[in-house]
Structures are given as structure tokens and as C-alpha cells.
Amino acid sequence: MRYLTFALGKGRLAERTLELFEQIGITCEEMKEKDSRKLIFINEELRLRFFLAKGPDVPTYVEYGAADIGVAGRDTILEESRKVHEVLDLGYGKCRMCICGPKSAAGYLKRRELIRVATKYPSIAKDYFYNVKHQTVEIIKLNGSIELAPIVGLSEVICDIVETGSTLRENGLSVLEEVCPLSARMIVNPVSMRMESARIKDLIQRLRAVI
Ligand code: PRP
């Protein structure tokens, strides 16, 4: 039997995913060793391989078939728009993609003015403003601490993830519009989906039962 390979987004998401897999009897003890620099982990008995990748790289590994299955946030899956099948909402990592800014920026959105939008997700922001709202905007790509942008005058609003809302509150910003809900999703390579359909369907079914 060939190995089924999983790409997991590093960090909290991977921890939650491994917890979930444990519930259906899939364990990978080597992966829990916190100080290990090892990149790939094997469960010989079940013929499974796991590796940790940067979140936005997970859909890339899955599209090219270097991983059969991936777990990543819906934000990165949408942003990367790779040719993969999204098969399961894992239910954790729940948050929202929102347009945020100072309350005073609400009018720019209402009047569909040409404003600047700072974001780590240029593709999601572009789709929202151009295809959903039909508003022409300038999108400015940033790599983190997006909330800074409207505070220092780089942009009028931001398109970013809101989980508890405390980053916004502590910086005097608010949610102005909601783009879409987000959570962790399981994605599958389209060829693997056909070639390993029995194993993958069984996995999805067992996960569904515990989610
Ligand atoms: C994310 C997001 C917000 C924050 C939202 O940033 O970009 O800044 O979390 O969470 P909250 O609503 O619970 O405050 P992250 O910490 O991932 O880092 P980043 O700013 O570098 O993107």
C-alpha cells in the first residue's frame, strides 16, 4: 500500500488537526516532539506520512500532488485558488474575513469611492471589491500587522481576519463589512481523490463522525 501524504499548515492549526486525527485513531507520536527539527513524520502501520508547511504553501503541495491531502485555513485556500478539492470543513479556526477601518471610513464604502485597501489577501480583497461590490479600489499588499495601515495613513481600510475582534478594538478600528466566514478545511489533490478514493472517503467519513 502506498503512503498517503498529508500537508499541514504549521502552528495552532496543525495541533488541532493532530488532535482531531487522534480521535479517529490516527496518531503520529514523532510529530509531538516539540524541539524536533524533523520535517516529515511517518506512521508506518497506517502507511501515512505527515509534513508541516507554511500555511499558504499547503494548497501548492496538494495541487502538485506532493501531498495527497492538506489542511489549511479557508483564507489561504481562497487566496491561493489552486486546483484542489475542498472536501471537509473541520470546524475549528473559526473567524471572519472583514473589511475594517475607523468608523469614519464607512462612508467611502457606502459611496463606493476609490480608496486604498491594505491586506495580506490581495486576491480575496480584489474579488470582493471588484466582483461583489463593484467598487474600484487600490489594493496594497502587506505581510502582517495590517491594522497599522489605516492608523498611519497607508490606507483607508483593511481586508483582514477578525477572530475575537480585540486587535481592532485596541487600535480604534471596527468591522465595516463582512467578506466571508472562515475555518480550517481539508483539501485533496484531484488525482489522489480518484486513485485513493476508498481510503480518502473512509477518512472523510470517520472525521465527519467526530466533528
Ligand atoms: C491575525 C489578523 C488580525 C488578528 C485578529 O493576525 O491579521 O491581526 O489575528 O485576531 P483578533 O480578532 O482575535 O484580535 P496574526 O496574529 O495572525 O498576525 P499578523 O498580524 O502578522 O497577520
Side-chain angles (χ1 to χ4, degrees):
M1 191 162 51
R2 82 166 180 89
Y3 283 112
L4 213 52
T5 302
F6 292 77
L8 308 180
K10 258 185 210 167
R12 220 159 23 124
L13 210 62
E15 282 169 32
R16 294 289 304 267
T17 305
L18 292 175
E19 278 170 28
L20 184 68
F21 284 1
E22 283 211 25
Q23 288 182 43
I24 60 164
I26 295 176
T27 54
C28 197
E29 291 305 319
E30 335 174 77
M31 218 161 173
K32 292 187 207 153
E33 293 162 20
K34 283 263 180 284
D35 304 323
S36 169
R37 305 290 291 172
K38 225 171 148 172
L39 294 172
I40 190 144
F41 307 91
I42 293 178
N43 180 323
E44 197 54 58
E45 192 194 336
L46 300 172
R47 302 293 286 171
L48 302 175
R49 292 203 302 179
F50 298 87
F51 64 83
L52 297 175
K54 279 266 188 193
D57 294 339
V58 167
T60 312
Y61 283 105
V62 175
E63 179 182 87
Y64 284 92
D68 301 289
I69 296 172
V71 174
R74 186 175 179 226
D75 51 330
T76 51
I77 296 167
L78 290 173
E79 184 63 25
E80 298 297 316
S81 57
R82 294 281 176 180
K83 291 186 207 82
V84 297
H85 291 318
E86 191 185 305
V87 296
L88 196 57
D89 182 346
L90 298 172
Y92 46 83
K94 276 207 168 90
C95 48
R96 303 179 291 157
M97 185 65 73
C98 296
I99 308 302
C100 313
K103 287 236 167 68
S104 59
Y108 301 138
L109 296 171
K110 207 170 152 210
R111 296 187 297 272
R112 296 194 168 76
E113 286 184 43
L114 174 52
I115 51 171
R116 293 164 300 174
V117 182
T119 186
K120 204 153 99 175
Y121 303 91
S123 169
I124 294 176
K126 193 173 167 198
D127 180 67
Y128 180 70
F129 279 101
Y130 284 78
N131 301 331
V132 179
K133 282 187 59 90
H134 306 291
Q135 177 174 358
T136 304
V137 296
E138 181 175 350
I139 291 168
I140 302 173
K141 161 87 201 256
L142 289 178
N143 294 293
S145 303
I146 315 298
E147 290 83 358
L148 262 178
I151 298 171
V152 299
L154 176 65
S155 70
E156 280 68 43
V157 298
I158 62 174
C159 174
D160 199 21
I161 292 173
V162 178
E163 191 182 352
T164 61
S166 59
T167 310
L168 291 179
R169 265 194 306 280
E170 285 176 30
N171 291 290
L173 305 173
S174 320
V175 170
L176 302 174
E177 290 179 0
E178 182 173 323
V179 177
C180 63
L182 304 169
S183 59
R185 305 292 163 103
M186 180 177 277
I187 53 176
V188 179
N189 172 275
V191 177
S192 307
M193 195 71 213
R194 276 183 281 125
M195 303 299 285
E196 292 290 336
S197 86
R199 281 172 92 190
I200 294 174
K201 277 185 187 152
D202 175 65
L203 174 73
I204 294 170
Q205 236 170 28
R206 284 191 293 143
L207 285 171
R208 272 219 182 95
V210 296
I211 286 170

